[in-house]
Amino acid sequence: MIEVSNLTKVYKVKLEKTKEKKAQKVDKYAVNQLNFVAKPGVITGLIGENGAGKTTTMRMLATLIQPTEGVAKINGLDVQKDSSKVRQQIGVLFGGEPVLYDRLSARENIVYFAELNGMDRETANARAEVLAERLGLGKFLDQKVKDFSRGMKQKAAIARTIIHDPSVIIFDEPTTGLDITAARVVYDFLEQFREEGKTILLSSHSMYEVERLCDTVVIVHQGQKREEGTLPELKAKYNQERFEDIFIELIGGVNHE
Ligand SMILES: Nc1ncnc2c1ncn2[C@@H]1O[C@H](COP(=O)(O)OP(=O)(O)OP(=O)(O)O)[C@@H](O)[C@H]1O
Ligand SMILES: [Mg+2]
């Protein structure tokens, strides 16, 4: 379970000086009083335009950055006060960020991370092999990551992310840049996590993925929640068949910064 209450992240952004004004620092509300709950056994989509605050929210949930205000809880544990316990219960994947050491094999990467999470090497190795098989990574497990394709790297990153069997999964754009078959592996995993009763928070810019995977969505815009609900609820409320049209109706007409 993920519970977010009044979560806020303010960055100080430097404005360069102009003829009229001196250089100054202004507050940028990346996330602004956000509230939502993501429940177990459900895929919750965190959906918004570029810069809406999705990654910032997920980074706070993942204990990577501190909230400026508000509280976020993972399985009842405060991400700020109980950060080390929280880390044991979450599997996080941020698209586009290198999470693997190129000079190590996939197995070495996965087992190293598992040991950091308190698993013993033997268990980690056994589980790495099972995961590699499920991900279609089997014969690549002992090859160096630097020779991997993007899809293979992402599969290894996923194995690393879930090696400690976390009950809460936070995936930020996990399929960006992946081909159809590699994306399919990610979809299958997410669906399996849902069956296993895990809590899943997923961000994506793909309307196809939202329709295919998300049970419920939280739509964010400029750091604030615009709307939330299950897809059928929102389709009935906005009298639209496609989520894309609901999204455009909510966000499209808004003035941009
Ligand atoms: N370290 C930082 N310093 C200053 N501003 C930041 C920082 N990180 C993020 N921001 C700003 O906060 C806002 C939210 O960014 P964030 O990365 O969370 O958006 P996002 O919804 O993940 O977007 P995208 O879909 O492009 O990944 C943006 O305006 C961004 O420029
Ligand atoms: Mg992002």
Side-chain angles (χ1 to χ4, degrees), residues 14-249:
K14 199 173 160 191
L15 293 184
E16 297 302 327
K17 70 172 183 199
T18 61
K19 269 185 192 159
E20 293 81 32
K21 280 188 181 155
K22 292 191 286 189
Q24 55 172 328
K25 282 193 174 170
V26 294
D27 285 348
K28 163 83 204 178
Y29 280 76
V31 176
N32 193 352
Q33 301 287 327
L34 192 60
N35 292 285
F36 71 87
V37 173
K39 293 184 183 144
V42 169
I43 300 180
T44 302
L46 190 59
I47 311 300
E49 292 180 318
N50 294 130
K54 304 177 297 293
T55 301
T56 306
T57 301
M58 288 174 150
R59 287 176 69 83
M60 288 190 274
L61 294 173
T63 79
L64 298 172
I65 54 171
Q66 300 273 328
T68 310
E69 256 182 66
V71 178
K73 288 186 177 169
I74 303 280
N75 296 336
L77 297 165
D78 188 312
V79 295
Q80 282 184 281
K81 293 185 191 136
D82 293 306
S83 54
S84 54
K85 277 194 196 142
V86 165
R87 279 196 284 274
Q88 289 169 7
Q89 303 196 17
I90 56 176
V92 292
L93 186 69
F94 289 96
E97 278 181 31
V99 290
L100 303 168
Y101 295 104
D102 261 2
R103 281 187 293 173
L104 300 182
S105 70
R107 182 197 296 273
E108 286 163 339
N109 267 289
I110 297 164
V111 170
Y112 172 68
F113 181 76
E115 287 183 306
L116 285 182
N117 270 280
M119 275 177 100
D120 69 81
R121 187 166 297 186
E122 210 177 316
T123 315
N125 261 296
R127 197 166 142 77
E129 280 163 24
V130 172
L131 285 175
E133 208 51 53
R134 270 173 63 190
L135 284 159
L137 195 69
K139 62 182 194 296
F140 295 92
L141 193 58
D142 291 301
Q143 290 183 21
K144 283 201 179 14
V145 165
K146 74 173 166 54
D147 301 323
F148 282 13
S149 68
R150 178 157 188 169
M152 234 15 122
K153 273 190 186 165
Q154 190 71 334
K155 287 180 182 181
I158 290 172
R160 174 191 175 280
T161 292
I162 57 172
I163 188 75
H164 55 307
D165 198 22
S167 63
V168 175
I169 302 287
I170 299 169
F171 275 13
D172 188 16
E173 296 188 40
T175 58
T176 300
L178 297 190
D179 69 22
I180 298 156
T181 47
R184 181 62 177 261
V185 171
V186 177
Y187 301 160
D188 291 346
F189 256 84
L190 289 168
E191 283 170 344
Q192 188 160 348
F193 294 152
R194 169 166 56 196
E195 260 170 50
E196 290 168 6
K198 294 184 192 296
T199 302
I200 304 142
L201 186 64
L202 170 72
S203 80
S204 173
H205 289 296
S206 157
M207 294 295 114
Y208 169 72
E209 285 181 9
V210 175
E211 300 269 5
R212 189 185 194 289
L213 294 167
C214 295
D215 303 296
T216 181
V217 291
V218 176
I219 300 174
V220 286
H221 187 65
Q222 296 177 350
Q224 291 180 310
K225 185 171 73 185
R226 264 291 149 88
E227 184 56 282
E228 72 181 324
T230 66
L231 287 181
E233 274 166 12
L234 295 181
K235 286 176 180 178
K237 180 171 172 184
Y238 290 91
N239 197 22
Q240 297 280 11
E241 275 170 31
R242 287 186 304 203
F243 176 74
E244 180 186 331
D245 294 327
I246 300 171
F247 185 82
I248 297 293
E249 188 172 328

